[in-house]
Amino acid sequence: MTAPDKRVTLDDIVGEIHDGMTIGIGGWGSRRKPMALVRALLRSDVRDLTVVSYGGPDVGLLCRAGKVSRVVYAFVSLDSIPLEPHFRKARESGAVAATELDEGMFLLGLQAAAWRVPYLPTRVGLGSDIETANPWLQRVQSPYRSGARPWLGVDGDADLESLVAMPAIELDVALVHMHRGDQGGNGQYLNVDPYFDDLMAMAARRTFMSVERIVPTEQFLAEGPVQSLRLNRLMVSGVVETPNGAHFTECPPDYARDEAFQKEYAASAKSDEAWDAFRAKYLDVSEADYQRLVTGGAR
C-alpha cells in the first residue's frame, strides 16, 4: 500500500492560516521551534492571531510584527536570554492581550483538547494568583471523597474536594518542527525531549509539520528508536522539508542554537530602527535567502 503524499510548501501552509485564527506553535522556549513556518507567516498579510505556545522567539517575532492580538502561554523565553525582549515590550505596552497559565495547566488544556473533553480537573492553581489573574477559571467538585475506592464499595471519609477545571485549549492550526518525517506525515524527534508537539497536533483541527529531512518510512528505525516516532500521519495535514528550519533555535543532534544570531535578534528590540534593520535583512527576504545569510557568513 502506497503511503499518502502530504508534502506541501511553506506558502501552501501559510495559505491555510487566516485572520483571527488560534494557532499553536510547538517546541519549547528557544528549542526546536518551526521557525521557517514562523518566517513564512511573517511575510504574509495574516493578522489578529491568538498564539498558543511554550513561547520563544516565535512569539516575540509575531508580536513585534503586529500579527498577534492575544498570547496564551506558560512562559516566553529565549533560554540563554531569560526574557524574550520583543514579547516583553508588547506585554508591557499592552500591544497584545495575555492569558498567563501555569505550565501544568497549559499542558492539561492541550490534553483536554486532544482528548476532546471540555476540561480536566486539577489542583494546580488552587489558592494562587492564577485564579485571580484568570477570573474565567471555574471550579468543580469531585464526585468522590478522598480515600474512596468505589470499585471496592469504599466511599471515603473526607469532604468532597474542590478542583480547578482547566478548559480545553482548542486550536485551529498547529505548527510543529520535527527532525525527520516521511511524505505521509509521520514525524520523528531525535533529541531527549519530545516537548508537547503531539498534544499540539491532537488539539488542533489541522496540523502542519516542518522537518529537517523527509526520509522513506522504512528509514525511521535507522534514525532512532521506535518511541521517537511521536507524530503519526493521522495527526498531520501537511509536511514540508525545511533544512535548518528551526534556526536560530536549537535542534540537536542536527544543530545547536545559534547564540550569536540570537543575541543579534535580541538587540533588535533596542529601538524601532534596530528592528527595521533586522527585519529588512533577515525577514523581508525568502527562506532561501535567509538560509544563505545565516549559513554563508554574510551577516
mmCIF file of all heavy atoms in Angstrom, residues 57-79:
data_model
loop_
_atom_site.group_PDB
_atom_site.id
_atom_site.type_symbol
_atom_site.label_atom_id
_atom_site.label_comp_id
_atom_site.label_asym_id
_atom_site.label_seq_id
_atom_site.Cartn_x
_atom_site.Cartn_y
_atom_site.Cartn_z
ATOM 1 N N PRO A 57 11.198 32.721 20.526
ATOM 2 C CA PRO A 57 11.251 33.780 19.514
ATOM 3 C C PRO A 57 10.084 33.742 18.544
ATOM 4 O O PRO A 57 9.811 34.736 17.869
ATOM 5 C CB PRO A 57 12.580 33.520 18.807
ATOM 6 C CG PRO A 57 12.862 32.065 19.036
ATOM 7 C CD PRO A 57 12.338 31.796 20.407
ATOM 8 N N ASP A 58 9.397 32.603 18.460
ATOM 9 C CA ASP A 58 8.186 32.547 17.638
ATOM 10 C C ASP A 58 7.189 33.604 18.103
ATOM 11 O O ASP A 58 6.639 34.373 17.305
ATOM 12 C CB ASP A 58 7.555 31.149 17.701
ATOM 13 C CG ASP A 58 7.312 30.639 19.126
ATOM 14 O OD1 ASP A 58 8.103 30.994 20.032
ATOM 15 O OD2 ASP A 58 6.367 29.860 19.332
ATOM 16 N N VAL A 59 6.983 33.672 19.411
ATOM 17 C CA VAL A 59 6.045 34.633 19.982
ATOM 18 C C VAL A 59 6.567 36.055 19.828
ATOM 19 O O VAL A 59 5.837 36.970 19.430
ATOM 20 C CB VAL A 59 5.778 34.301 21.465
ATOM 21 C CG1 VAL A 59 4.959 35.405 22.125
ATOM 22 C CG2 VAL A 59 5.062 32.957 21.591
ATOM 23 N N GLY A 60 7.843 36.253 20.136
ATOM 24 C CA GLY A 60 8.404 37.595 20.055
ATOM 25 C C GLY A 60 8.336 38.172 18.655
ATOM 26 O O GLY A 60 7.951 39.335 18.458
ATOM 27 N N LEU A 61 8.709 37.387 17.667
ATOM 28 C CA LEU A 61 8.697 37.860 16.280
ATOM 29 C C LEU A 61 7.284 38.202 15.819
ATOM 30 O O LEU A 61 7.057 39.252 15.203
ATOM 31 C CB LEU A 61 9.301 36.797 15.364
ATOM 32 C CG LEU A 61 10.830 36.702 15.343
ATOM 33 C CD1 LEU A 61 11.271 35.393 14.726
ATOM 34 C CD2 LEU A 61 11.426 37.880 14.577
ATOM 35 N N LEU A 62 6.345 37.325 16.108
ATOM 36 C CA LEU A 62 4.975 37.556 15.655
ATOM 37 C C LEU A 62 4.347 38.753 16.359
ATOM 38 O O LEU A 62 3.599 39.526 15.743
ATOM 39 C CB LEU A 62 4.137 36.299 15.858
ATOM 40 C CG LEU A 62 4.509 35.112 14.955
ATOM 41 C CD1 LEU A 62 3.805 33.837 15.409
ATOM 42 C CD2 LEU A 62 4.163 35.411 13.491
ATOM 43 N N CYS A 63 4.662 38.936 17.637
ATOM 44 C CA CYS A 63 4.159 40.111 18.349
ATOM 45 C C CYS A 63 4.760 41.389 17.771
ATOM 46 O O CYS A 63 4.040 42.367 17.521
ATOM 47 C CB CYS A 63 4.471 40.004 19.833
ATOM 48 S SG CYS A 63 3.452 38.829 20.756
ATOM 49 N N ARG A 64 6.063 41.394 17.574
ATOM 50 C CA ARG A 64 6.717 42.622 17.076
ATOM 51 C C ARG A 64 6.247 42.990 15.685
ATOM 52 O O ARG A 64 6.158 44.174 15.333
ATOM 53 C CB ARG A 64 8.245 42.437 17.083
ATOM 54 C CG ARG A 64 9.007 43.693 16.646
ATOM 55 C CD ARG A 64 8.709 44.824 17.604
ATOM 56 N NE ARG A 64 9.371 46.076 17.257
ATOM 57 C CZ ARG A 64 8.900 46.982 16.394
ATOM 58 N NH1 ARG A 64 7.756 46.745 15.772
ATOM 59 N NH2 ARG A 64 9.547 48.110 16.169
ATOM 60 N N ALA A 65 5.895 41.986 14.889
ATOM 61 C CA ALA A 65 5.438 42.242 13.524
ATOM 62 C C ALA A 65 3.963 42.611 13.455
ATOM 63 O O ALA A 65 3.427 42.848 12.367
ATOM 64 C CB ALA A 65 5.707 41.020 12.655
ATOM 65 N N GLY A 66 3.291 42.662 14.612
ATOM 66 C CA GLY A 66 1.896 43.075 14.635
ATOM 67 C C GLY A 66 0.920 42.027 14.172
ATOM 68 O O GLY A 66 -0.195 42.355 13.741
ATOM 69 N N LYS A 67 1.305 40.764 14.275
ATOM 70 C CA LYS A 67 0.445 39.669 13.813
ATOM 71 C C LYS A 67 -0.486 39.141 14.897
ATOM 72 O O LYS A 67 -1.390 38.359 14.597
ATOM 73 C CB LYS A 67 1.313 38.503 13.325
ATOM 74 C CG LYS A 67 2.288 38.843 12.219
ATOM 75 C CD LYS A 67 1.576 39.109 10.917
ATOM 76 C CE LYS A 67 2.540 39.286 9.770
ATOM 77 N NZ LYS A 67 1.823 39.595 8.508
ATOM 78 N N VAL A 68 -0.283 39.541 16.147
ATOM 79 C CA VAL A 68 -0.890 38.852 17.283
ATOM 80 C C VAL A 68 -1.810 39.787 18.062
ATOM 81 O O VAL A 68 -1.443 40.936 18.351
ATOM 82 C CB VAL A 68 0.201 38.296 18.230
ATOM 83 C CG1 VAL A 68 -0.417 37.590 19.422
ATOM 84 C CG2 VAL A 68 1.126 37.351 17.467
ATOM 85 N N SER A 69 -2.980 39.288 18.421
ATOM 86 C CA SER A 69 -3.858 40.036 19.321
ATOM 87 C C SER A 69 -3.817 39.479 20.739
ATOM 88 O O SER A 69 -4.016 40.222 21.699
ATOM 89 C CB SER A 69 -5.294 40.019 18.805
ATOM 90 O OG SER A 69 -5.764 38.694 18.644
ATOM 91 N N ARG A 70 -3.559 38.178 20.889
ATOM 92 C CA ARG A 70 -3.501 37.556 22.217
ATOM 93 C C ARG A 70 -2.467 36.430 22.201
ATOM 94 O O ARG A 70 -2.327 35.714 21.206
ATOM 95 C CB ARG A 70 -4.855 36.983 22.633
ATOM 96 C CG ARG A 70 -4.830 36.249 23.998
ATOM 97 C CD ARG A 70 -6.205 35.790 24.435
ATOM 98 N NE ARG A 70 -7.086 36.916 24.735
ATOM 99 C CZ ARG A 70 -7.146 37.511 25.921
ATOM 100 N NH1 ARG A 70 -6.381 37.086 26.930
ATOM 101 N NH2 ARG A 70 -7.970 38.519 26.117
ATOM 102 N N VAL A 71 -1.768 36.283 23.345
ATOM 103 C CA VAL A 71 -0.842 35.166 23.544
ATOM 104 C C VAL A 71 -1.314 34.353 24.742
ATOM 105 O O VAL A 71 -1.571 34.907 25.814
ATOM 106 C CB VAL A 71 0.609 35.644 23.780
ATOM 107 C CG1 VAL A 71 1.543 34.444 23.900
ATOM 108 C CG2 VAL A 71 1.068 36.567 22.658
ATOM 109 N N VAL A 72 -1.451 33.064 24.546
ATOM 110 C CA VAL A 72 -1.765 32.121 25.622
ATOM 111 C C VAL A 72 -0.481 31.341 25.883
ATOM 112 O O VAL A 72 0.020 30.648 24.992
ATOM 113 C CB VAL A 72 -2.912 31.170 25.220
ATOM 114 C CG1 VAL A 72 -3.254 30.230 26.363
ATOM 115 C CG2 VAL A 72 -4.146 31.966 24.780
ATOM 116 N N TYR A 73 0.051 31.441 27.105
ATOM 117 C CA TYR A 73 1.400 30.926 27.314
ATOM 118 C C TYR A 73 1.632 30.511 28.761
ATOM 119 O O TYR A 73 0.947 30.959 29.683
ATOM 120 C CB TYR A 73 2.444 31.986 26.928
ATOM 121 C CG TYR A 73 2.395 33.249 27.756
ATOM 122 C CD1 TYR A 73 3.275 33.447 28.813
ATOM 123 C CD2 TYR A 73 1.466 34.253 27.486
ATOM 124 C CE1 TYR A 73 3.236 34.603 29.576
ATOM 125 C CE2 TYR A 73 1.425 35.412 28.238
ATOM 126 C CZ TYR A 73 2.311 35.586 29.286
ATOM 127 O OH TYR A 73 2.270 36.736 30.037
ATOM 128 N N ALA A 74 2.631 29.640 28.920
ATOM 129 C CA ALA A 74 3.127 29.287 30.240
ATOM 130 C C ALA A 74 4.380 30.091 30.562
ATOM 131 O O ALA A 74 4.670 30.362 31.723
ATOM 132 C CB ALA A 74 3.420 27.798 30.315
ATOM 133 N N PHE A 75 5.149 30.427 29.538
ATOM 134 C CA PHE A 75 6.327 31.297 29.654
ATOM 135 C C PHE A 75 6.696 31.719 28.239
ATOM 136 O O PHE A 75 6.244 31.126 27.256
ATOM 137 C CB PHE A 75 7.518 30.583 30.327
ATOM 138 C CG PHE A 75 7.950 29.329 29.616
ATOM 139 C CD1 PHE A 75 8.737 29.382 28.473
ATOM 140 C CD2 PHE A 75 7.553 28.078 30.078
ATOM 141 C CE1 PHE A 75 9.121 28.224 27.811
ATOM 142 C CE2 PHE A 75 7.930 26.914 29.417
ATOM 143 C CZ PHE A 75 8.719 26.986 28.284
ATOM 144 N N VAL A 76 7.523 32.758 28.132
ATOM 145 C CA VAL A 76 8.104 33.160 26.852
ATOM 146 C C VAL A 76 9.559 33.513 27.119
ATOM 147 O O VAL A 76 9.849 34.513 27.778
ATOM 148 C CB VAL A 76 7.362 34.355 26.215
ATOM 149 C CG1 VAL A 76 7.964 34.656 24.838
ATOM 150 C CG2 VAL A 76 5.865 34.076 26.090
ATOM 151 N N SER A 77 10.467 32.688 26.637
ATOM 152 C CA SER A 77 11.882 32.808 26.992
ATOM 153 C C SER A 77 12.762 32.412 25.812
ATOM 154 O O SER A 77 12.363 31.591 24.973
ATOM 155 C CB SER A 77 12.194 31.906 28.193
ATOM 156 O OG SER A 77 13.583 31.855 28.454
ATOM 157 N N LEU A 78 13.967 32.975 25.771
ATOM 158 C CA LEU A 78 14.977 32.542 24.808
ATOM 159 C C LEU A 78 15.984 31.595 25.446
ATOM 160 O O LEU A 78 17.035 31.337 24.871
ATOM 161 C CB LEU A 78 15.703 33.762 24.226
ATOM 162 C CG LEU A 78 14.824 34.746 23.436
ATOM 163 C CD1 LEU A 78 15.666 35.920 22.931
ATOM 164 C CD2 LEU A 78 14.115 34.061 22.289
ATOM 165 N N ASP A 79 15.672 31.075 26.626
ATOM 166 C CA ASP A 79 16.527 30.128 27.350
ATOM 167 C C ASP A 79 17.820 30.783 27.816
ATOM 168 O O ASP A 79 17.939 31.146 28.971
ATOM 169 C CB ASP A 79 16.815 28.875 26.514
ATOM 170 C CG ASP A 79 15.576 28.028 26.312
ATOM 171 O OD1 ASP A 79 14.864 27.781 27.293
ATOM 172 O OD2 ASP A 79 15.293 27.626 25.165
#
